Every structure is written in C-alpha cells, then in structure tokens.
C-alpha cells in the first residue's frame, strides 16, 4: 500500500451519594512540590519522543481529555470524567451524571484530529460511554515508486475509530471496565477495518486515593483489502491518583509498558487556586528501555489551563493544553476541548 507523508508520527509516537470509604491522615506536601516541578519543566522544551514503530490507528496515542493530556497522560487512576473511557474505562464508575466532551488537536501539515465523547451512568452502578475519533493527514499525500522530485500521484487518507465503554462498580472500592473498539481507514485505493478491546480495573484505597490497572489492546488487529494484517502491540498500564481537598490539588503517577515503546513513566499534577480555574502540568519519559537505534532518554513535558463555568448543578469546562509535536522534533501542539457535566 502507498506510504504516507505522516508515517513518522506512528509513535514515535439530583446528585447521587458517594460511597463512604475510610480515609487515614496523609501527608500531601508532595503534591505541591510536584505541581511546581512539572510547571517548571514546561518552561523548557526538549526533543519529542521519537521511539516506536508503525502502529495502526496511531493517532489514538495522542490521547483524549483536556485535563488528562495536560497532566502528561497519567490517568489510569482517574475517576469521574468522560475521558476515563479512553484512559481506563473502570474510571467511568465515578460519574455523577451525563458528561459530553469535544476536543480538537491543532496538528501541522494539514492534518486534522477530532474527538467527541459522552458518558453516563445507570443506578449509580452501571456506566457506559461512546467516544468517536476522526483523523486525516490531508488529501495531498504523495505516492512514489522511486526517488523522484515529483510524485507519481496524490492520494488521501481518512481514519475513524469508535470506542464503546462499559463499567461496573462491583463494590465501594472495586470497579471494572472494558472498551470495545471498531476502526476504519481509507487510504488511496485501499480500505482497512480493525477491532480491539481494552480491559481496566480500579481499586480505591481511600476516598481520595485510587489505584488503576489497564491492559490496552490485548488482542487488537487491523486488516486491509490487500490481505495485509497488523496486530497492535499490547500495552500494560498501572497508576495511582491522589486528591487533596485541602490543597485543591491532584497528583498522578503512571507506569506503562509495551513491546515497541518499552517502559514510559508518566507524571501529572493539577492545582485549583480557585473553584473556576485549574493549572495543570506533567511529563512522560521515553527511550528508557526501547526506541530508535541510538535514541537517548527523552523528556516530554505538557501543561494546560482549565476554566470552569458553573451553571446551577451543572457546569461547562474549557481546557487548553500545550503538548509535544510527535512529527516535528522540538515542535509544540495546541489542544482545545470543551466539556459539559450535567448533574
């Protein structure tokens, strides 16, 4: 099948009651330190992570959700957010009503990437959501048989992914969830179809401390009309999320592993100096145990701002995120999203 000009980006790239859980005294000073540390990191941009091979539907690796992406993608232990359907579907068990989020990542080279998601719950025990993602690198992709100045032809590429998420609160502490994914691609004269799944679990140590684990793509496959098939690398993620109400701060740490990208630690923090304003920062480390030949350790910082607009028992949230460009080394990308939470 023809090669794409953006191939290099393939990664390298009525409120309901809350169950009561005992909460021991905790020292949360580390949260303040983490917030300061990650925000300082974002002041200096380093080379973007260039490791990895050619993953099917690689655009999904950018991630979904303004707060989660701004916090370095450390979100396996996150709860009560529509974007949990992407990061760990078990986290949907924290929902308190209908949530809808729309997101746009402003990519270079005429690329477009949009996310739209909604999630809700039933009887505070069963939860569900649907996320749609649309990606295209543009209609001016160049096809060549050999090294020539002019392309032999131009072609287009459009990709679509639908994630259906379900979650169950097994007990006040345990939650489980799963994603079922359908993906399509039309590239030149070829058509591809893929399906896959994610499996997630969360355990609440206390009201504000949650551990999460997720197996992403345990068996996900993409097949093209020319009979070529690509199997997604399995990715395992484990993480913990801590929320300190007194400091109005959150801190997350994730550790993920995959056969093509190796180990990638992720850190993130959020501080709300006011109820209507959030400051977020984070980073992930790449090339620890895998990557391009000769690739050195990479630090990939992220940061973002959130503005919350109360509307009675509901609210609107507007998020802006700055993150590394995975195509242009040292470049930056801008992400904007809007979330409605209707209690």
């Amino acid at each position: 099948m023809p090669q794409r000009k953006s191939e290099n980006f393939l990664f390298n790239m009525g409120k309901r009651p809350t169950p009561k859980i005992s909460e021991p005294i905790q020292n949360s000073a580390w949260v303040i330190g983490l917030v300061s540390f990650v925000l300082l990191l974002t002041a200096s941009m380093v080379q973007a992570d260039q490791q990895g091979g050619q993953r099917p539907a690689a655009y999904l690796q950018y991630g979904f959700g303004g707060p989660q992406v701004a916090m370095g993608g450390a979100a396996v232990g996150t709860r009560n957010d529509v974007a949990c359907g992407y990061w760990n579907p078990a986290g949907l068990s924290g929902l308190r009503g209908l949530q809808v989020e729309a997101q746009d990542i402003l990519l270079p080279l005429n690329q477009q990437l949009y996310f739209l998601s909604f999630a809700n719950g039933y009887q505070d025990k069963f939860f569900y959501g649907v996320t749609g993602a649309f990606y295209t690198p543009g209609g001016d992709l160049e096809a060549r048989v050999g090294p020539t100045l002019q392309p032999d032809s131009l072609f287009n590429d459009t990709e679509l992914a639908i994630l259906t998420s379900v979650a169950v609160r097994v007990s006040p502490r345990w939650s489980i969830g799963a994603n079922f994914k359908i993906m399509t691609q039309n590239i030149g004269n070829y058509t591809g179809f893929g399906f896959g799944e994610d499996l997630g679990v969360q355990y609440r140590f206390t009201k504000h401390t949650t551990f999460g684990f997720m197996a992403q793509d345990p068996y996900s496959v993409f097949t093209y009309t020319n009979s070529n098939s690509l199997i997604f690398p399995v990715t395992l993620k484990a993480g913990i999320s801590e929320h300190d109400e007194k400091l109005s701060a959150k801190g997350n740490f994730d550790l993920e592993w995959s056969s093509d990208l190796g180990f990638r630690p992720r850190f993130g923090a959020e501080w709300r100096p006011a109820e209507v304003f959030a400051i977020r920062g984070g980073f992930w480390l790449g090339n620890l145990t895998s990557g391009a030949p000769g690739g050195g350790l990479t630090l990939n910082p992220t940061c973002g701002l959130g503005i919350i607009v109360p509307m009675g028992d509901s609210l609107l949230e507007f998020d802006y995120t700055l993150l590394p460009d995975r195509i242009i080394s040292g470049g930056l990308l801008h992400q904007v999203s809007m979330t409605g939470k209707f209690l």
Side-chain angles (χ1 to χ4, degrees):
M1 56 186 288
Q3 298 296 309
R4 299 163 51 187
K5 70 179 180 182
S6 60
E7 201 89 49
N8 289 339
F9 118 81
L10 298 178
F11 285 12
N12 299 7
M13 337 180 6
K15 305 181 182 177
R16 303 186 183 98
T18 302
K20 295 182 179 180
I21 296 177
S22 60
E23 183 175 11
I25 299 175
Q26 302 177 34
N27 181 3
S28 302
W30 64 272
V31 179
I32 291 294
L34 183 58
V35 171
S36 303
F37 180 53
V38 296
L39 292 180
L40 287 174
L41 284 174
T42 58
S44 177
M45 184 64 197
V46 298
Q47 180 178 358
D49 187 359
Q50 298 298 321
Q51 62 184 4
Q54 297 182 354
R55 291 188 173 198
Y59 58 94
L60 293 176
Q61 297 297 308
Y62 273 115
F64 171 67
Q68 293 81 2
V69 176
M71 296 169 68
V76 179
T78 301
R79 305 177 71 253
N80 188 27
D81 194 281
V82 60
C84 291
Y86 172 86
W87 299 101
N88 184 351
L92 292 177
S93 62
L95 286 178
R96 294 292 178 269
L98 172 67
Q99 293 190 18
V100 182
E101 182 170 359
Q103 173 180 297
D104 181 11
I105 299 181
L106 308 179
L107 297 171
L109 305 177
N110 297 320
Q111 298 177 94
Q112 300 176 52
L113 177 56
Y114 306 106
F115 285 88
L116 178 63
S117 182
F118 83 91
N120 205 346
Y122 176 71
Q123 294 186 348
D124 205 32
K125 185 174 182 180
F126 304 98
F127 306 85
Y128 56 90
V130 176
T131 299
F134 172 82
Y135 169 74
T136 177
D140 58 347
L141 305 182
E142 300 178 353
R144 290 180 172 84
V145 176
T148 59
L149 292 177
Q150 297 299 323
D152 298 320
S153 63
L154 298 178
F155 63 97
N156 59 15
D157 179 13
T158 57
E159 304 189 40
L160 179 67
I162 302 294
L163 283 71
T164 301
S165 306
V166 293
V168 178
R169 178 181 291 138
V170 180
S171 72
R173 292 185 182 272
W174 286 99
S175 299
I176 58 175
N179 286 331
F180 304 94
K181 298 183 283 191
I182 296 177
M183 297 155 284
T184 64
Q185 182 178 15
N186 293 289
I187 178 169
N189 296 323
Y190 297 88
T191 300
F193 176 82
F195 66 90
E197 65 291 310
D198 305 320
L199 303 174
V201 62
Q202 284 188 346
Y203 178 78
R204 302 181 68 187
F205 289 103
T206 70
K207 181 180 178 180
H208 299 304
T209 305
T210 304
F211 169 81
F213 176 82
M214 180 173 172
Q216 183 176 346
D217 298 311
Y219 182 73
S220 298
V221 63
F222 213 106
T223 303
Y224 293 90
T225 50
N226 62 357
S227 299
N228 286 338
S229 294
L230 298 173
I231 298 178
F232 290 65
V234 179
T235 302
L236 303 178
K237 303 179 179 181
I240 193 165
S241 177
E242 168 74 13
H243 179 204
D244 191 302
E245 289 185 330
K246 294 181 180 180
L247 298 177
S248 299
K250 297 179 182 178
N252 296 344
F253 168 72
D254 285 4
L255 182 62
E256 68 177 53
W257 174 88
S258 61
S259 58
D260 59 337
L261 302 179
F263 285 100
R264 296 204 294 179
R266 296 178 179 269
F267 303 85
E270 176 189 89
W271 178 47
R272 295 199 176 193
E275 283 293 325
V276 297
F277 186 66
I279 302 173
R280 306 180 180 108
F283 62 90
W284 77 86
L285 299 175
N287 285 343
L288 286 178
T289 58
S290 179
L297 180 67
T298 61
L299 175 64
N300 306 272
T302 59
C303 64
L305 301 173
I307 298 176
I308 298 90
V309 182
M311 301 187 306
D313 289 336
S314 303
L315 60 85
L316 283 177
E317 181 172 339
F318 301 89
D319 295 302
Y320 166 77
T321 301
L322 192 65
L323 65 155
D325 190 327
R326 305 193 183 193
I327 302 176
I328 302 174
S329 179
L332 295 172
L333 297 179
H334 307 274
Q335 172 186 297
V336 291
S337 61
M338 181 176 67
T339 306
K341 299 183 179 182
F342 308 100
L343 302 178

